[in-house]
Amino acid sequence: MPYAPNSLAARDVAYTMHPYTNLAAHEQRGPHVISRGEGIYIWDDEGNRYIEGLAGLWCVSLGFNEQRLIDAATRQLGILPYSHTFAHRSTEPVIELCEHLIRIAPEPMAHAFLLNSGSEAIDTAIKFAWYYNNALGRREKKKIISRKRGYHGVTVAGGSLTAIPLMQNDFDLPVSDRFLTTDTPHHYRGARPGESEEDFATRLADSLEQLILAEGPETVAAFVAEPVMGAGGVIPPPRTYFEKVQAVLRRHDVLMVADEVICGFGRTANMWGSQTYGIVPDMVTCAKQLSSAYLPISAVMISQPIYEAFRDLSAKHGAFGMGYTYGGHPVCAAVALETLRIYEERDILGHVRAVAPRFQQRLHALGDHPLVGEARGVGLVGAIEIVEDKATRASFAPERKAANQVFERTVANGLITRALPGDAVATCPPLIIDETQVDDLFDRLERGLDEAAKSLRG
Ligand SMILES: Cc1ncc(COP(=O)(O)O)c(C=O)c1O
């Protein structure tokens, strides 16, 4: 055992269940215990400092010691630590948060419903799509389409849309044949030889339309997509993709649900990924950077026509039969509101736009590295795809765990990254990162790559 009996690590192995962890390996190696954070950095319990190059799980936008968020939580805890939003109740932070959110939301979002996590937001968006079509008397129009490698959480319905084998296999997902998948919009892997991004996008939109026609448009309710695929490998869409996809959706009266859980609040150098890619959504899910992850909170936003359909149907039932004990928790709402105020007052978007070109330049320069097949990204998010052979794009055998080896070497070099499906290694630092820190991040990533190259090729 690498850890001492009765150490924190031993206690963790004895009692803690970890997501996304090889449980058997974990029993041998124990956890990496993180003790504190400051700015873009975190420290482990042995005093080692790391750049948190994934902002936690793509979420700690304002870094790890933002006093204003701590004060907002403390203040609200002192005033009113809990109240709910059921049955005509509300609180000041909830009202102000929803007002602010809708003011900055992608057009044409009109109302916000608050919850606790990205998965809950996705589950709720699915229920909303069903309720909406029932309100319109379209009882058959219930199927939901996601993309292979899309990530939309792990709850029973959200996990049914998360079309990543690891997240579905042996969990009996998808839970029903209401959940369908279409192609991954990954040009590097999916395009035919010589096919342009535009032609690839046309082919994928056609393929989506064929799926909808084969199922019957009267049975398809919604298409759920991340503007940039995140946990599936950081995959920005090919040029013209969303324009063509949305034309198909409009033709068949299928709702566009933009899952902005990662992209929302400046990640792609616009407030929303929807703005970066010309998406006009019917519903938007967001979480993570909504509160800089200091407290759990998420939201589903909907357009006015959807809201009106809900109003009519819920009148028939006597109430809108939907809500969570902690949805609109006043302390979480107060922290989220303060986060949005900070974004505005400090012009975080302007900062991202100033730093992103350097980030993307350093990221794309890694495309020349012998281990890197593709470097891709937008704004302050990116990934490199590890390949055995750059010319043929052949991947390493899965048992080599190539991306994981790169991840391990970046950690050894003081940088947290994340290994993702398709041998991608991702980085998505706090939005407050400055240019010098961007250079430091990529210097460390480069050293990690060089070291992994030695062991992978040696
Ligand atoms: C795009 C997207 N949707 C949904 C989720 C699920 O969010 P949560 O883990 O808060 O349930 C995630 C989590 O990473 C995500 O990236």
Side-chain angles (χ1 to χ4, degrees):
M1 289 278 185
Y3 45 85
N6 303 323
S7 66
L8 266 181
R11 283 156 54 199
D12 179 90
V13 167
Y15 299 111
T16 312
M17 266 290 292
H18 288 266
Y20 222 89
T21 296
N22 180 325
L23 299 178
H26 187 70
E27 288 177 13
Q28 297 304 311
R29 61 185 279 182
H32 189 191
V33 179
I34 305 303
S35 305
R36 70 184 184 90
E38 196 180 312
I40 66 162
Y41 303 102
I42 55 170
W43 281 259
D44 65 20
D45 61 342
E46 291 178 354
N48 300 306
R49 189 189 81 162
Y50 304 88
I51 296 177
E52 204 351 323
L54 210 87
L57 286 174
W58 334 75
C59 50
V60 188
S61 45
L62 294 175
F64 289 86
N65 64 327
E66 177 49 62
Q67 191 59 43
R68 279 182 59 179
L69 299 186
I70 300 164
D71 292 344
T74 314
R75 205 165 39 241
Q76 186 59 40
L77 278 167
I79 299 170
L80 180 69
Y82 180 75
S83 184
H84 60 77
T85 56
F86 280 52
H88 307 281
R89 271 217 202 157
S90 198
T91 63
E92 237 175 85
V94 162
I95 294 165
E96 290 195 36
L97 173 61
C98 290
E99 189 177 42
H100 193 126
L101 203 49
I102 293 301
R103 175 162 61 76
I104 64 169
E107 297 269 347
M109 295 301 97
H111 295 266
F113 187 81
L114 299 178
L115 330 84
N116 309 288
S117 69
S119 297
E120 276 184 6
I122 288 290
D123 260 43
T124 301
I126 294 166
K127 283 180 72 177
F128 281 9
W130 292 341
Y131 200 76
Y132 172 67
N133 278 326
N134 287 332
L136 300 186
R138 306 193 300 199
R139 299 217 157 253
E140 296 300 308
K141 204 165 170 64
K142 299 296 164 55
K143 291 175 186 164
I144 316 280
I145 302 176
S146 63
R147 283 109 34 102
K148 293 183 179 72
R149 288 176 74 175
Y151 189 95
H152 304 288
V154 296
T155 43
V156 172
S160 293
L161 294 184
T162 292
I164 299 173
L166 177 69
M167 316 303 287
Q168 296 195 323
N169 289 351
D170 284 331
F171 287 108
D172 291 6
L173 297 177
V175 70
S176 90
D177 54 12
R178 278 189 177 183
F179 298 97
L180 309 169
T181 54
T182 188
D183 314 275
T184 312
H186 190 193
H187 184 264
Y188 175 74
R189 285 285 168 206
R192 293 175 178 150
E195 192 175 36
S196 69
E197 286 193 39
E198 287 81 356
D199 289 347
F200 179 56
T202 304
R203 182 157 63 80
L204 263 47
D206 285 348
S207 155
L208 173 65
E209 184 151 36
Q210 290 317 310
L211 174 67
I212 293 171
L213 289 170
E215 296 289 330
E218 71 287 357
T219 70
V220 181
F223 174 76
V224 181
E226 304 152 87
V228 177
M229 283 186 150
V234 184
I235 303 172
R239 277 188 292 278
T240 71
Y241 173 79
F242 277 110
E243 176 193 314
K244 289 168 180 164
V245 159
Q246 288 179 105
V248 170
L249 301 179
R250 277 192 293 273
R251 261 200 298 281
H252 301 292
D253 207 358
V254 173
L255 297 173
M256 170 76 222
V257 181
D259 184 352
E260 294 265 9
V261 166
I262 287 180
C263 294
F265 310 104
R267 180 56 64 188
T268 66
N270 286 299
M271 188 51 80
W272 304 95
S274 291
Q275 291 157 348
T276 303
Y277 297 109
I279 300 169
V280 183
D282 298 291
M283 286 192 239
V284 169
T285 53
C286 63
K288 294 187 189 276
Q289 297 194 132
L290 171 55
S291 63
S292 188
Y294 276 40
L295 284 174
I297 184 165
S298 64
V300 183
M301 294 184 274
I302 59 174
S303 65
Q304 188 63 20
I306 296 181
Y307 173 76
E308 286 174 10
F310 288 7
R311 196 176 54 198
D312 296 346
L313 186 55
S314 64
K316 209 171 101 189
H317 289 299
F320 187 57
M322 173 71 190
Y324 301 85
T325 300
Y326 303 120
H329 192 289
V331 183
C332 304
V335 169
L337 178 64
E338 192 70 357
T339 304
L340 299 188
R341 286 179 173 155
I342 293 172
Y343 290 160
E344 213 158 71
E345 286 167 28
R346 295 193 194 149
D347 188 18
I348 290 291
L349 199 52
H351 172 76
V352 171
R353 286 177 179 162
V355 175
R358 181 73 181 157
F359 182 92
Q360 291 300 326
Q361 181 201 337
R362 291 292 309 259
L363 174 74
H364 281 90
L366 293 178
D368 295 333
H369 193 279
L371 268 193
V372 176
E374 185 191 34
R376 52 183 184 256
V378 60
L380 285 181
V381 59
I384 47 177
E385 183 158 330
I386 308 303
V387 291
E388 179 156 29
D389 186 325
K390 274 173 96 85
T392 65
R393 304 186 176 184
S395 305
F396 282 95
E399 58 274 18
R400 302 291 303 278
K401 296 188 186 322
N404 211 55
Q405 289 204 37
V406 174
F407 161 76
E408 302 262 357
R409 294 322 303 164
T410 69
V411 172
N413 280 283
L415 168 67
I416 307 287
T417 54
R418 178 114 186 258
L420 296 173
D423 268 341
V425 178
T427 176
C428 178
L431 299 182
I432 57 166
I433 194 166
D434 68 28
E435 229 172 74
T436 312
Q437 292 169 330
V438 164
D439 279 330
D440 190 15
L441 184 158
F442 281 102
D443 290 347
R444 289 167 197 269
L445 182 47
E446 236 170 76
R447 284 202 291 278
L449 264 175
D450 288 342
E451 291 172 18
K454 277 189 204 131
S455 64
L456 279 164
R457 299 222 185 274

